[in-house]
Amino acid sequence: MLPMEPPRVLILTALESETRAVANALALKRIPAGVSLWKKENVIVAGVGLRAAHADRALAILPQHRPQLLVLAGLAGALDPDLRIGDVIIDSPFPHQQIPPGARAARIHQATELLATPDAKRQLFQSTGCAAVEMEAAALAPLIAAAGVPLLHVRAISDTAADSVDEDCLSLVDTDGRPKLSRAAGLILRRPSALPQLLRLQRDSSLALQRLGQTMRHLAASGWLPA
């Protein structure tokens, strides 16, 4: 059963691009004094940085905002070989929640290390049965416990189970999840062969972010998030 009124929601993202995709989808406004904070009525989006390096920002919001629902939203890597770029996975605590069109209900694995190869993804898929993997939830475990509210996990696939992930790509964003263009240029100069992968990563991430935004709008329209 849907809640009678949209709950107070705290949405956490890692990359700046994820934060903007979610904020734009929900028509939120940036809080002038905040760092990666966007708000509209009873929903707040907070950027916690790559691997939740700035989880303290979100933790500081809890006492005043008192969310009734936590949402982790962003990009993820596929473990299930049937998933394609832009597919959206929802790991929901609500068994009867209506899943938006184009999304799929499945479990998302909380990793502490990057899964860089198809073989590593295959092994994790076989051992866990999870459809996708991300690297923020484990670092956010203390915050999630402190909130004491349901956790809704929404992730769009930006690399498939067959894709390798270059670990150097993680160094191309700072801890706030913002791109470091000078470092990307340096990587291309050192390794020209990295350019095709970076272009593919940009293309695939753009599609995934677009689908993420669409799913967040559907969740708002269905009453699970403030519209």
Side-chain angles (χ1 to χ4, degrees):
M1 178 180 291
L2 288 176
M4 295 299 294
E5 295 182 359
R8 291 189 303 276
V9 178
L10 176 58
I11 304 173
L12 306 180
T13 57
L15 302 176
E16 183 181 64
S17 57
E18 296 169 344
T19 307
R20 289 185 177 277
V22 173
N24 290 338
L26 300 179
L28 307 184
K29 294 183 178 180
R30 189 160 195 160
I31 299 175
V35 179
S36 296
L37 292 177
W38 300 69
K39 184 177 181 180
K40 176 186 176 183
E41 298 175 354
N42 55 345
V43 60
I44 291 178
V45 176
V48 295
L50 192 65
R51 297 186 180 182
H54 300 296
D56 56 307
R57 294 175 184 164
L59 191 60
I61 296 171
L62 293 182
Q64 182 177 3
H65 186 55
R66 302 191 313 280
Q68 298 165 293
L69 176 67
L70 276 181
V71 180
L72 299 188
L75 305 180
L79 299 179
D80 186 335
D82 289 336
L83 289 174
R84 297 293 176 260
I85 300 299
D87 286 350
V88 177
I89 299 298
I90 295 181
D91 193 341
S92 173
F94 309 110
H96 302 297
Q97 180 177 5
Q98 180 181 0
I99 301 301
R104 165 181 157 186
R107 289 189 297 129
I108 299 172
H109 183 74
Q110 303 173 8
T112 56
E113 297 180 356
L114 178 68
L115 273 75
T117 66
D119 186 59
K121 295 179 182 180
R122 178 183 57 80
Q123 292 182 33
L124 187 59
F125 180 55
Q126 291 176 345
S127 65
T128 67
C130 291
V133 59
E134 54 78 50
M135 293 192 298
E136 277 71 49
L140 288 168
L143 182 148
I144 295 169
V149 297
L151 172 66
L152 176 65
H153 211 155
V154 184
R155 294 279 176 169
I157 299 302
S158 57
D159 58 274
T160 71
D163 290 332
S164 295
V165 180
D166 191 336
E167 293 191 43
D168 285 342
C169 290
L170 289 182
S171 69
L172 303 184
V173 294
D174 61 21
T175 57
D176 282 311
R178 296 174 299 199
K180 293 181 176 179
L181 299 181
S182 60
R183 188 165 291 185
L187 174 62
I188 294 170
L189 287 174
R190 294 194 311 274
R191 289 174 44 204
S193 61
L195 180 58
Q197 183 174 9
L198 291 178
L199 292 175
R200 187 197 74 194
L201 178 62
Q202 182 182 37
R203 180 198 66 214
D204 293 348
S205 296
S206 295
L207 175 59
L209 290 168
Q210 178 185 348
R211 298 285 174 77
L212 176 66
Q214 292 171 352
T215 299
M216 298 301 286
R217 280 193 292 272
H218 278 296
L219 287 171
S222 63
W224 287 99
L225 300 174

